Amino acid sequence: MSSSTSFDLGGIGAGFADPSFGSQAVFRSCLEAISRPGTLLEVESEAEVPKGAHPAAYSLLLALLDQDTRLWIAPSLEASAHGAAIGEFLGFHTGCRRADTPCLADFALLSTGRGLPPLEAFASGSEDYPDRSATLVLQADELRDDSGWSLTGPGIRGRTRLAVAGLDHAFLAQWAANHGMFPRGVDIFISCGRRLVGLPRTTRIEP
Amino acid sequence: MGALAKADPELLESTMSAHAHTQFTWLRRPETGLAMVRGRIGGTGDRFNLGEVTVTRCVLRLAGGLTGVAYVQGRSRRKCELAALADALLQDASMHDEIFRTVVEPAARAQAAEDLARRQRAQATKVEFFTVARETGP
């Protein structure tokens, strides 16, 4: 029996029913999220999501990863009950490679709470190639757009509100440093269930 | 798997006809790509890249949870689907013997016959080179 994968296929869920249209639709949502920071979007996807992953975060990675990208999954997430399955699912469907350290990753899947590495641990690109920075996908327990931080910057008319459960002042200080590095810096997508919000490096966050 | 991968699509279609309506879901729809084939001269020499071969692969899951994988030569999606289906059914203990007898063995026999015919054709054109040593006079 020949197989390209060395793990048990039994638990793998189906990916997009139609890989091109499915990933295009999710890509469209990503584009919308990153061009209107702080706006909560619903990500439509019929992909079977492994336990422990948010549908929005998982389908986003399913759409964006390919064999040329390196994914880093936070150890805290990977050590969870279903964590290892997330990496196996993504590896099977996208053929992505895994990064050993955060600084080598093109994409990272994280969750709020303990074990969240500082933003400066990730590649922020160079002055000549700011696009060689990491894109972080952060799973949060709760997202609200009627309280919390005040966001300003490109793509936001006036200001908008955003509250992310589990992100504290330490994150805001890291974000200020990330914002100050422009054009370098990381971009973050925060997911909660099917909902997604984008935080590009250009967005300013005030508590 | 080798027998299924190299099987004639029409043969597979006829031998799998009884199982072709088994319900399944796609985990990876059939997709066609290239795989590099490597060879060794005489089976023992240095490895070299012989050339690329067109390969179609797919993964499906039966309603019962069994997973079938197929990597087949050529671009036939239908053949890939049938081979994966056969692979999944082979893992079902109650179906294994039947599938092996009705699908895998005929495919393997057809390939052995084809292989033999090809060898015979090649053998008929074989030329033995030899040198007649000059006889040395007294």
Side-chain angles (χ1 to χ4, degrees):
Chain A
M1 181 54 244
S2 67
S3 166
S4 66
T5 42
S6 57
F7 56 88
D8 181 25
L9 280 172
I12 294 281
F16 295 120
D18 187 312
S20 41
F21 288 120
S23 53
Q24 289 283 338
V26 174
F27 182 73
R28 183 67 230 170
S29 303
C30 296
L31 217 54
E32 185 73 21
I34 209 80
S35 45
R36 306 210 179 284
T39 307
L40 291 181
L41 295 168
E42 290 276 328
V43 179
E44 297 296 333
S45 157
E46 73 291 347
E48 284 179 29
V49 181
K51 288 197 178 75
H54 290 179
Y58 178 73
S59 41
L60 186 149
L61 288 171
L62 211 54
L64 297 184
L65 293 176
D66 66 9
Q67 58 266 41
D68 295 327
T69 53
R70 281 163 300 185
L71 171 71
W72 187 78
I73 299 183
S76 60
L77 200 61
E78 192 139 38
S80 68
H82 308 288
I86 303 172
E88 287 179 355
F89 272 44
L90 288 169
F92 173 79
H93 286 298
T94 67
C96 68
R97 291 173 294 156
R98 296 291 289 276
D100 297 327
T101 55
C103 63
L104 292 175
D106 300 308
F107 289 89
L109 180 62
L110 316 164
S111 67
T112 55
R114 290 199 311 130
L116 182 66
L119 295 181
E120 58 263 28
F122 296 96
S124 57
S126 63
E127 293 287 334
D128 293 336
Y129 297 97
D131 53 309
R132 292 183 186 166
S133 62
T135 301
L136 314 185
V137 181
L138 179 64
Q139 302 194 138
D141 293 330
E142 198 187 353
L143 276 177
R144 297 173 69 89
D145 58 357
D146 56 0
S147 60
W149 303 332
S150 169
L151 311 185
T152 51
I156 304 172
R157 187 188 293 268
R159 55 181 59 231
T160 181
R161 318 281 316 258
L162 181 69
V164 183
L167 292 185
D168 52 14
H169 289 290
F171 174 82
L172 284 189
Q174 291 168 22
W175 184 260
N178 185 58
H179 174 75
M181 279 196 296
F182 187 85
R184 295 166 59 214
V186 299
D187 305 306
I188 307 187
F189 287 98
I190 305 175
S191 76
C192 175
R194 293 203 159 272
R195 300 203 294 172
L196 188 73
V197 64
L199 278 183
R201 59 194 84 169
T202 51
T203 300
R204 199 176 297 111
I205 306 181
E206 291 155 23
Chain B
M1 193 75 232
L4 292 173
K6 289 184 280 185
D8 179 49
E10 287 171 21
L11 177 72
L12 208 55
E13 188 78 58
S14 65
T15 54
M16 279 295 288
S17 58
H19 311 287
H21 298 293
T22 312
Q23 294 294 314
F24 63 83
T25 51
W26 288 118
L27 294 186
R28 176 187 279 154
R29 287 173 173 276
E31 52 192 17
T32 303
L34 292 173
M36 178 60 77
V37 177
R38 301 174 113 188
R40 290 175 192 275
I41 294 174
T44 53
D46 282 341
R47 221 173 353 186
F48 67 97
N49 290 340
L50 183 67
E52 283 177 324
V53 63
T54 315
V55 170
T56 303
R57 67 175 183 182
C58 72
V59 181
L60 52 78
R61 185 175 59 206
L62 301 184
L66 290 170
T67 321
V69 182
Y71 281 69
V72 307
Q73 197 185 323
R75 290 179 302 172
S76 170
R77 286 154 181 257
R78 175 68 177 161
K79 174 184 165 187
C80 190
E81 175 187 330
L82 290 172
L85 206 51
D87 178 53
L89 292 171
L90 277 170
Q91 296 168 55
D92 185 340
S94 63
M95 302 280 283
H96 179 274
D97 292 345
E98 186 198 337
I99 297 284
F100 198 82
R101 203 179 59 248
T102 59
V103 181
V104 181
E105 282 182 349
R109 267 200 305 276
Q111 278 154 45
E114 166 71 16
D115 204 33
L116 183 68
R118 190 178 297 155
R119 276 166 196 272
Q120 283 172 343
R121 279 201 304 277
Q123 194 68 28
T125 65
K126 186 173 176 181
V127 178
E128 300 280 1
F129 289 97
F130 57 92
T131 312
V132 180
R134 184 188 295 153
E135 285 182 35
T136 48

